[in-house]
Amino acid sequence: MSQVVPSIRVFVPIDAAALSVGAEAVAQAILREAAERGIEIELVRNGSRGLLWLEPMVEVETSEGRVAYGPVTAAAVAGLFDAGFTSGDAHALRLGPVAELDWMKRQQRLTFERVGVTDPLSLADYRAHGGLAGLQAALALQPAEIVETVRASGLRGRGGAGFPTGIKWKTVQDARAEQKYIVCNADEGDSGTFADRMLIEGDPFLLIEGMAIAAVAVGATRGYIYLRSEYPHAYRALCRAILKAEHAGLLGDSVLGSGHAFHLEARLGAGAYICGEETSLLESLEGKRAIVRAKPPLPALQGLFGKPTIVNNVLSFAAVPWILAHGAQAYADFGMGRSRGTLPVQLGGNIRRGGLIELAFGISLREIIEGFGGGTLSGRPIRAVQVGGPLGAYLTEQQLDTPMDYEALAAMRAMLGHGGIVVFDDTVDMAKQARFAFAFCAKESCGKCTPCRIGATRGVEVMDRIIAGQERPKNIAVLRDLSRLMTDASLCAMGGLTPMPVLSALNHFSEDFDRPPLPMAAE
Amino acid sequence: MAEFSAWDRDEARRIVGGLVHLEGATLPILHALQEEFGYIDAEAIPLISEALNLSRAEVHGTISFYHDFRAEPPPRRVVKLCRAEACQALGCEDLVAHLAQAGGIAVDHASPDSPVAVETVYCLGNCALGPSALVDGELIGRVDAARLLTLCETQPGSRGQR
Ligand SMILES: Cc1cc2nc3c(=O)[nH]c(=O)nc-3n(C[C@H](O)[C@H](O)[C@H](O)COP(=O)(O)O)c2cc1C
Ligand code: SF4
Ligand code: FES
């Protein structure tokens, strides 16, 4: 099978998750081993394919396509060379051609089509794999036609609220102002989510292209990407990609020579969950304490520095180039009900096979958790699954046949959010999880309104009394009253949705609120 | 291990001056100062307030709002340990308990002269490979108790140098 080729292309991911389990050492070992053996290789640092439990997953380009090996350790590298992995030969870690892997075959990758395939920082690679086709198509349209295409695709914001992206863009387009802004929400604060990070590290030009399309559509000349500081790898990738895009004329005074100016900058957050809320994010970008603004006015009309502003999640912008390149209908053909297109699902927590899975809306949670995920990592029974981040509901094992769809989850007092799924086994204590939801809110509240600021602290106290076994019926009634107050009277969803995990824990796992108290509550 | 310069007013002034032209320059300036010195010295507040034409109270309010910004020089090593839900599902709270028992390290309550501080963060975007920690900009997955204690070792003599 080995044929004479000038150099063999070997891929080792540079994604932070892959690095977190030793990808850098593997890359170095491969370079060292190849040099010692006099084998010409070209080492490409790609994004991750999303089979995170197999990271570091190394790929080799062969005549039968790219063949994967994983999880590879630095210590296994010499053995891989001995076995002839550079020709795709057999080895205990050989997984087979990537395209044949069950995990990949069962997905519908639109937004993540290039992630793991290309060198994230090579614009040539990006173009060779269909990059910039969406922007080029957009530049041939009238601005109103671009917005209409986005609207007709049915795309809804992927940041959590699910607001129709085309309608938001139309509002900004119709606004009259000498300055408009495009702002990307890359704060990705929800536990259990990492799709924004993987996309920025694995295909940053896609985000840049999506934002450029938005800029052209609404006549905005400046943009910011607000990225959380917990993502240093993504920040480096993004800054380098923006520089390259400027050099190539994708950003700057004339986007791809169209005459539209678009200047883009990445900005770091500073460790505050509330900055994911869009008005808080805008305050932070303006350099202030990130106190949530009352709405109206909508950010679309009075956003950054009071100017009309599109604020969208990373995945919302990243879906747009595909839509422009393939047409609104092609995108809308995926999905169910009012949830059109695909959703990058992130599977984490106590799970055997965790990672990123992009699929049309409508697949059941069970197919994801059991079919893709293979059950818990601990091997114990699944007890609870939190969907949609820290403000999302805890579901029981019996509820897992629910489809991944905004409305279906809302109907059971849960939410899809940013598409994160966190699995817990039967050792979880749901009263403690409810306490944590309040503690998190107390710590991360912006402090503007009383129901959230004071309510969350009260919530922790009430949970402590319940856990300690003090007057449980009375305190559970207090808990319900408090939850109602926070839901009804909080200014934003931080305080307004904190009761969702709390009440789901109480309603579905009430036995945990009635356990014999521990001698002393541990911290 | 991160190395920082000692606080230097003139250098700080240069850093501030290099960034004032940005829209919403406050956070970029604060990040740049902390990157250089490891913390935001109180003397930086008047520098920033003059350069950006803000009141000192506003600048101070911004610094104190965000968890990232430090008012004191950091210990030699800071381990950011994720304690959000996906890592809870894999026992990060057991790690916190173990640190206290076996290492005498109280998360978020380092003594002022300690060379290491373990601090809580909520999610590092590594939720499929938890528990996770971030140490000097390096992300570490599948952290267990032994690894965490090793990460906390900084001083020769205390627990041996890494
Ligand atoms: C407490 C809170 C945290 C949020 N965090 C995020 C976040 O990390 N990323 C995000 O894109 N949206 C987040 N949102 C939603 C944003 O406010 C906003 O709806 C979103 O950025 C709009 O973009 P989209 O329409 O593309 O989803 C959060 C909302 C709240 C209330
Ligand atoms: S609900 Fe909480 S986070 Fe939202 S505005 Fe009120 S205090 Fe701030
Ligand atoms: S919850 Fe720990 S890395 Fe996401």
Side-chain angles (χ1 to χ4, degrees), chain A residues 277-351:
Chain A
E277 195 282 332
E278 57 185 1
T279 63
S280 160
L281 183 154
L282 294 173
E283 290 288 303
S284 184
L285 267 181
E286 291 182 9
K288 303 176 188 154
R289 299 160 68 208
I291 307 291
V292 171
R293 298 178 186 167
K295 286 190 266 191
L298 291 175
L301 297 173
Q302 289 177 43
L304 187 60
F305 301 109
K307 304 290 188 243
T309 303
I310 289 182
V311 184
N312 273 134
N313 175 252
V314 174
L315 301 180
S316 312
F317 283 121
V320 168
W322 196 97
I323 292 167
L324 267 295
H326 297 84
Q329 192 54 47
Y331 192 77
D333 283 344
F334 293 93
M336 70 175 277
R338 296 206 292 120
S339 304
R340 310 311 313 175
T342 59
L343 176 72
V345 175
Q346 302 122 88
L347 184 54
N350 194 332
I351 189 81

Side-chain angles (χ1 to χ4, degrees), chain A residues 6 141 164 187 298 385 398:
Chain A
L141 298 175
D187 200 53
L298 291 175
V385 173
Q398 289 76 36

Side-chain angles (χ1 to χ4, degrees), chain A residues 17 20 181 191-192 194 197 224 228-229 233 267 269-271 284-285 287-290 348-350 386 390 423 433 436 444, chain B residues 22-24 26-28 31 61-62 65-69 84-86 88-90 122-129 137 139 141:
Chain A
S20 85
Y181 290 99
S191 164
F194 43 83
R197 179 188 64 66
Y224 292 97
R228 65 202 302 256
S229 60
H233 304 81
R267 287 285 174 90
S284 184
L285 267 181
K288 303 176 188 154
R289 299 160 68 208
N350 194 332
Q386 189 177 30
V423 177
Q433 296 310 120
F436 175 76
E444 299 299 327
Chain B
L22 295 177
E23 286 187 326
T26 316
L27 261 66
H31 274 301
T62 301
F65 182 87
Y66 297 95
H67 301 307
D68 275 2
F69 298 127
E85 289 89 336
Q88 292 167 9
L90 289 173
Y122 295 111
C123 196
L124 294 164
N126 199 31
C127 326
L129 294 173
L139 181 63

Side-chain angles (χ1 to χ4, degrees), chain A residues 274 277 291-293 441 444-453 490-496:
Chain A
I274 195 58
E277 195 282 332
I291 307 291
V292 171
R293 298 178 186 167
C441 182
E444 299 299 327
S445 163
C446 85
K448 180 161 181 159
C449 59
T450 326
C452 170
R453 189 182 68 238
S490 295
L491 180 62
C492 86
M494 177 87 215

Side-chain angles (χ1 to χ4, degrees), chain A residues 251-437:
Chain A
L251 293 172
D253 289 334
S254 177
V255 170
L256 294 185
S258 65
H260 292 277
F262 186 50
H263 299 274
L264 183 60
E265 234 182 274
R267 287 285 174 90
L268 274 182
Y273 177 76
I274 195 58
C275 289
E277 195 282 332
E278 57 185 1
T279 63
S280 160
L281 183 154
L282 294 173
E283 290 288 303
S284 184
L285 267 181
E286 291 182 9
K288 303 176 188 154
R289 299 160 68 208
I291 307 291
V292 171
R293 298 178 186 167
K295 286 190 266 191
L298 291 175
L301 297 173
Q302 289 177 43
L304 187 60
F305 301 109
K307 304 290 188 243
T309 303
I310 289 182
V311 184
N312 273 134
N313 175 252
V314 174
L315 301 180
S316 312
F317 283 121
V320 168
W322 196 97
I323 292 167
L324 267 295
H326 297 84
Q329 192 54 47
Y331 192 77
D333 283 344
F334 293 93
M336 70 175 277
R338 296 206 292 120
S339 304
R340 310 311 313 175
T342 59
L343 176 72
V345 175
Q346 302 122 88
L347 184 54
N350 194 332
I351 189 81
R352 209 147 70 85
R353 299 191 293 261
L356 182 122
I357 307 155
E358 183 177 351
L359 278 170
F361 285 95
I363 189 175
S364 75
L365 285 162
R366 192 180 303 284
E367 276 176 82
I368 294 192
I369 294 167
E370 291 175 1
F372 281 88
T376 61
L377 180 68
S378 61
R380 304 181 64 95
I382 294 172
R383 179 139 186 268
V385 173
Q386 189 177 30
V387 182
L391 307 175
Y394 286 99
L395 304 178
T396 63
E397 210 276 332
Q398 289 76 36
Q399 292 177 301
L400 298 185
D401 295 306
T402 312
M404 297 286 281
D405 164 76
Y406 292 107
E407 279 69 38
L409 280 158
M412 47 198 297
R413 281 191 269 175
M415 70 171 187
L416 186 50
H418 188 47
I421 301 176
V422 174
V423 177
F424 293 78
D425 73 10
D426 63 351
T427 60
V428 69
D429 178 341
M430 296 306 295
K432 280 198 185 148
Q433 296 310 120
R435 183 191 188 279
F436 175 76

Side-chain angles (χ1 to χ4, degrees), chain A residues 178-200:
Chain A
E178 77 289 359
Q179 177 72 63
K180 299 179 185 177
Y181 290 99
I182 308 295
V183 170
C184 174
N185 188 340
D187 200 53
E188 197 164 64
D190 290 358
S191 164
T193 65
F194 43 83
D196 295 351
R197 179 188 64 66
M198 285 186 64
L199 189 107
I200 288 171

